[in-house]
């Protein structure tokens, strides 16, 4: 008798079993784990000596009248470019200067009021010699990020941020992996500390990030809200039939109700109408009989990202924009979609 077809059972077993760890997955986990260990060492170092130098570096950069000049060779140079970009986007003027190009004229980019931040794991990178010498000759501030405080860079620096020794994730211990992860993390820490020291706001952040979804999320409600005659508004005491005509005319699916002195009293939405559509006395009611006295409100300075979060979490389509207790605008969910924030 032929054996039964076991293919479906094999497929079921394969589906239920946990996937095998492939060599690539094992390698990825080792790499990430090794770099995580390096970051743990960096955190420990900040709590045990490095923190004092870090505080001094933040003070030096925040007090500079010029820019942060990031420099480094090879992989350290790539990290330096990223740190410079993060500095610049968070309120600390910065640029990257290639050390080899600096020796051929780009030293002119570095001014006495600047602060040079030089990255070199060994601290003995040959290409950094000229920019270090220039900084010392013209009294330009110099901050070192290195693992060797006794190196030329470490000795010459006004502030030396000494990275802890840690094993590279590369199995040969050669390719910069853990070391560059620590450099990048320390650069991010500097940028955030400077941002906080300057009181850099989300509004200022938006000025430097006008493009894409991020830029849209940092715009304010005042930029998209409907005002004036576009707002659906009726006074308290308005008959429901007239309020419904206002809803239809303005097309927002709601109408604001205001007190005689202009203060916001409440809101009537399409949902309120649907819940009461079969009432026999609907036509004879005044608008306040159906209105919600607690409409969701924001101020004109509210970020679009926050407005979207409120609408989605509360499952509503309209926010009333107020100044004091008076409505000055209305923002609909479709306005946020058109802005690109979603």
């Amino acid at each position: 008798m032929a054996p039964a077809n076991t293919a479906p059972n094999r497929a079921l077993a394969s589906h239920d079993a946990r996937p095998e760890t492939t060599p690539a997955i094992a390698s990825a986990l080792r790499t990430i784990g090794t770099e995580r260990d390096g970051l743990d060492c960096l955190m420990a170092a900040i709590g045990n000596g490095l923190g004092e130098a870090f505080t001094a570096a933040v003070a030096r950069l925040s007090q500079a009248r010029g820019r942060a000049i990031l420099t480094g060779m090879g992989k350290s140079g790539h990290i330096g470019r990223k740190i410079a970009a993060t500095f610049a986007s968070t309120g600390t003027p910065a640029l990257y200067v290639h050390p080899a190009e600096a020796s051929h004229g780009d030293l002119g980019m570095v001014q006495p009021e600047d602060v040079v931040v030089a990255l070199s794991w060994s601290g003995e990178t040959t290409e950094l010699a000229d920019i270090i010498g220039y900084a010392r000759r013209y009294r330009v501030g110099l901050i070192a990020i290195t693992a060797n405080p006794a190196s030329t860079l470490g000795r010459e620096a006004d502030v030396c941020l000494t990275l802890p020794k840690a094993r590279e994730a590369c199995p040969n211990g050669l390719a910069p992996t853990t070391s560059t992860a620590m450099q990048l993390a320390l650069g991010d820490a500097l940028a955030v500390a400077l941002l906080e020291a300057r009181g850099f706001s989300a509004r200022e952040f938006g000025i430097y990030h006008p493009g894409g979804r991020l830029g849209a999320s940092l715009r304010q409600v005042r930029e998209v809200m409907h005002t004036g005659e576009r707002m659906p508004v009726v006074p308290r005491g308005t008959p429901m039939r007239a309020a419904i005509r206002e809803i239809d005319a303005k097309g927002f699916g709601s109408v604001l109700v205001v007190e005689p002195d202009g203060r916001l009293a409440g809101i009537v939405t399409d949902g309120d109408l649907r819940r009461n559509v079969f009432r026999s006395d609907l036509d004879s009611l005044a608008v306040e009989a159906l209105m919600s006295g607690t409409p969701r409100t924001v101020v004109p300075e509210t970020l679009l990202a926050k407005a979207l979060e409120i609408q989605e979490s509360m499952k509503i389509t309209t926010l009333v924009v107020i100044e004091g207790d008076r409505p000055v605008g209305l923002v609909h969910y479709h306005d946020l979609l058109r802005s690109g924030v979603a």
Side-chain angles (χ1 to χ4, degrees):
M1 181 175 178
N5 185 354
T6 59
N9 293 331
R10 285 198 303 269
L12 180 61
S14 175
H15 177 74
D16 291 341
R18 295 177 62 185
E20 294 183 5
T21 299
T22 66
I25 292 174
S27 175
L29 293 174
R30 283 195 304 271
T31 298
I32 295 170
T34 302
E35 294 190 354
R36 180 191 58 201
D37 292 343
L39 295 179
D40 287 341
C41 290
L42 180 60
M43 290 181 67
I46 289 177
N48 186 29
L50 178 56
E52 184 177 347
F54 183 85
T55 300
V58 171
R60 192 73 182 241
L61 287 163
S62 64
Q63 294 165 9
R65 292 176 296 172
R67 304 153 301 173
I69 307 296
L70 277 294
T71 190
M73 197 68 190
K75 304 301 185 293
S76 293
H78 294 307
I79 299 299
R81 285 186 176 89
K82 193 276 178 184
I83 295 173
T86 302
F87 276 10
S89 70
T90 53
T92 300
L95 61 85
Y96 173 80
V97 173
H98 193 287
E101 297 294 340
S103 300
H104 295 275
D106 282 1
L107 281 173
M109 296 181 179
V110 185
Q111 299 298 307
E113 61 270 21
D114 296 334
V115 175
V116 173
V117 181
L119 292 84
S120 170
W121 185 254
S122 69
E124 297 293 350
T125 303
T126 303
E127 290 85 354
L128 287 174
D130 288 338
I131 200 166
I132 293 172
Y134 181 89
R136 298 302 74 190
R137 180 179 179 183
Y138 293 102
R139 299 183 180 180
V140 179
L142 178 61
I143 296 172
I145 298 179
T146 180
N148 185 5
S151 64
T152 300
L153 175 60
R155 293 194 312 269
E156 293 294 334
D158 300 306
V159 179
C160 182
L161 299 175
T162 304
L163 296 169
K165 297 294 176 63
R167 183 167 57 91
E168 298 285 15
C170 167
N172 299 317
L174 299 174
T177 46
T178 306
S179 57
T180 49
M182 289 194 293
Q183 287 176 333
L184 181 58
L186 189 60
D188 285 343
L190 283 170
V192 172
L194 288 165
L195 178 157
E196 293 172 345
R198 297 178 190 275
F200 193 71
S201 68
R203 178 62 176 167
E204 291 171 299
F205 193 83
I207 293 172
Y208 299 141
H209 297 78
R213 183 175 178 181
L214 177 58
S217 68
L218 294 169
R219 294 171 62 194
Q220 296 181 341
V221 164
R222 68 165 72 251
E223 299 176 52
V224 301
M225 69 183 188
H226 302 273
T227 61
E229 294 298 320
R230 286 289 298 132
M231 294 172 58
V233 179
V234 296
R236 180 188 284 273
T238 299
M240 275 307 308
R241 184 170 295 277
I244 292 172
R245 285 199 296 270
E246 180 72 357
I247 293 174
D248 287 340
K250 299 300 171 64
F252 293 109
S254 61
V255 63
L256 309 184
V257 183
V258 295
E259 302 287 1
D261 62 0
R263 291 180 295 111
L264 180 66
I267 188 171
V268 177
T269 68
D270 282 343
D272 297 320
L273 294 176
R274 286 194 299 272
R275 286 186 289 272
N276 291 274
V277 68
F278 295 112
R279 289 183 59 163
S280 60
D281 60 346
L282 184 61
D283 284 349
S284 63
L285 294 176
V287 69
E288 56 265 29
L290 268 63
M291 79 177 185
S292 166
T294 56
R296 301 296 173 182
T297 62
V298 293
V299 296
E301 296 78 21
T302 301
L303 297 179
L304 296 189
K306 178 62 177 178
L308 180 65
E309 185 274 329
I310 294 171
Q311 290 189 338
E312 292 185 335
S313 63
M314 302 303 298
K315 295 180 171 58
I316 56 177
T317 59
T318 302
L319 288 171
V320 185
V321 186
I322 60 170
E323 286 185 336
D325 53 5
R326 299 172 186 275
V328 296
L330 181 143
V331 61
H332 193 273
Y333 186 70
H334 291 162
D335 301 320
L336 301 181
L337 294 181
R338 283 191 292 268
S339 76
V341 69

